[in-house]
Each structure stands twice: as C-alpha cells, then as structure tokens.
Amino acid sequence: PTSPRAASSGSSAAREPTSRLETGVTLAFLRDLPDLFEVRSGAMPGSLTTEQLVFGKSRRNATRPSPLKRCLSQATKKRNWCFVEECEHQGFTHSRHGDPYFLPATHYVVHSWHRNWGQLVEALERYCERRRLTGASFFIDVFSVNQNVPPHRELLPDALAFPSIAEEGPAGADPSSSS
C-alpha cells in the first residue's frame, strides 16, 4: 500500500526536519525490524544496543561500533526525517501478514541508549502478552523523532497523553518482590 506520507508529499526540495510525535510502532514492526536492515551476520545481533541501532559505526556512538551495515540515522539522513516516515516512504507499513507497523501511540517507552535492544523488545512483548493487549503501539523516540537533528531529542506536545504503566511496574515486574 502507498504510504500516507508519500501520497501527501508534494515536493522533494530541502525541508525542515520532521518527527511523528504521536506515532507508535507495533510489535509487528519491532519483530520485523531486523528484516529492514542489512546485517553482516544475517540476523540482528543479540548484543546490539539502542545507540548502535541508531548511529551504527558513527563516531557519535559512545559504546562501540555497530555490526549493522546501515543504521537509523543513515537511513533517514537524505530526506531529513524520522524512521517512521522513511518506512512509510519505502512502503514498509504492514507485516507480510497484514499487521500494521504504525498506529497512534498508546504507550510511551523510556529506554536506555546503552542497553540491549533485543531485551527491550522482549520486555514489550511480555508486557502485551501478560495484559492480553491487542493493538498496542509504542512511542519509542528513535523511530518517531528525527535522529539527524541535534540534540536528537524533542519535547512531547503537552496535549499528548499516554497511559502510565500499571502499578506492577515496567515489563511485568512484581512490586511485592522489591524491598
């Protein structure tokens, strides 16, 4: 299907940086993300950090160079937009099973740039599974915010309200087990 962004863009002239601050990514997108990248090993490495996913082999990567041949900032630099818009432009909007990749955000995800990306995805899968959530969509800044514009962060609009994670804490942690 044609992407909404591609269908509505009128000019390819230089443009202001853009973001999709109300757009969330679905579990289908997170599961298919490795297929959207060329990776030397044929699979997204289990030790990949968020920072490596975004900046790849760039000097901006404070931890260590990424094994990815392409990264989010490289994929979006030419058009100066966020990764959601790049996917829409390329026609990557649904899984091969027809599940949407992007929906209005229902949850806001706070994550660490230096921690394991795969563990974050697994935690979100468990979160949805335990709550029997269908149609959940996660605002994750690295996809919805243009990563080519320093400081690589933008403020969320005040009107944007996301539900908070249930009392049991992040990724299904049991509050009774903490001291």
Side-chain angles (χ1 to χ4, degrees):
T2 310
S3 75
R5 177 77 183 153
S8 67
S9 63
S11 169
S12 61
R15 13 189 247 109
E16 290 296 312
T18 63
S19 296
R20 295 291 292 278
L21 296 179
E22 296 181 13
T23 302
V25 296
T26 63
L27 288 178
F29 171 81
L30 294 172
R31 289 179 188 127
D32 288 353
L33 184 63
D35 295 335
L36 299 176
F37 283 93
E38 293 179 51
V39 183
R40 241 182 254 155
S41 65
M44 194 168 282
S47 62
L48 190 72
T49 66
T50 303
E51 184 178 50
Q52 291 172 322
L53 177 65
V54 174
F55 294 127
K57 298 179 184 302
S58 167
R59 290 188 180 132
R60 289 188 279 180
N61 191 337
T63 48
R64 62 188 177 280
S66 170
L68 297 176
K69 291 180 184 176
R70 282 184 53 116
C71 62
L72 294 180
S73 63
Q74 288 172 321
T76 59
K77 188 173 186 172
K78 179 180 176 184
R79 293 182 186 89
N80 200 28
W81 56 24
C82 68
F83 194 68
V84 168
E85 291 174 303
E86 181 64 26
C87 289
E88 289 176 338
H89 178 76
Q90 298 291 335
F92 301 129
T93 58
H94 291 80
S95 73
R96 61 176 99 27
H97 304 294
D99 299 317
Y101 282 161
F102 313 112
L103 293 172
T106 59
H107 296 75
Y108 180 81
V109 177
V110 177
H111 62 92
S112 168
W113 277 71
H114 300 152
R115 300 297 297 189
N116 184 288
W117 175 255
Q119 289 176 349
L120 174 64
V121 173
E122 289 171 11
L124 294 175
E125 287 176 325
R126 282 193 314 272
Y127 177 79
C128 288
E129 184 180 302
R130 289 180 180 163
R131 286 158 187 78
R132 295 183 180 97
L133 293 178
T134 57
S137 183
F138 303 97
F139 175 87
I140 302 176
D141 61 340
V142 298
F143 301 119
S144 297
V145 174
N146 185 337
Q147 298 299 313
N148 295 295
V149 181
H152 315 295
R153 292 175 201 85
E154 296 179 33
L155 297 176
L156 289 173
D158 290 337
L160 196 58
F162 294 100
S164 61
I165 292 182
E167 292 77 43
E168 68 181 69
D174 181 1
S176 63
S177 65
S178 61
S179 43

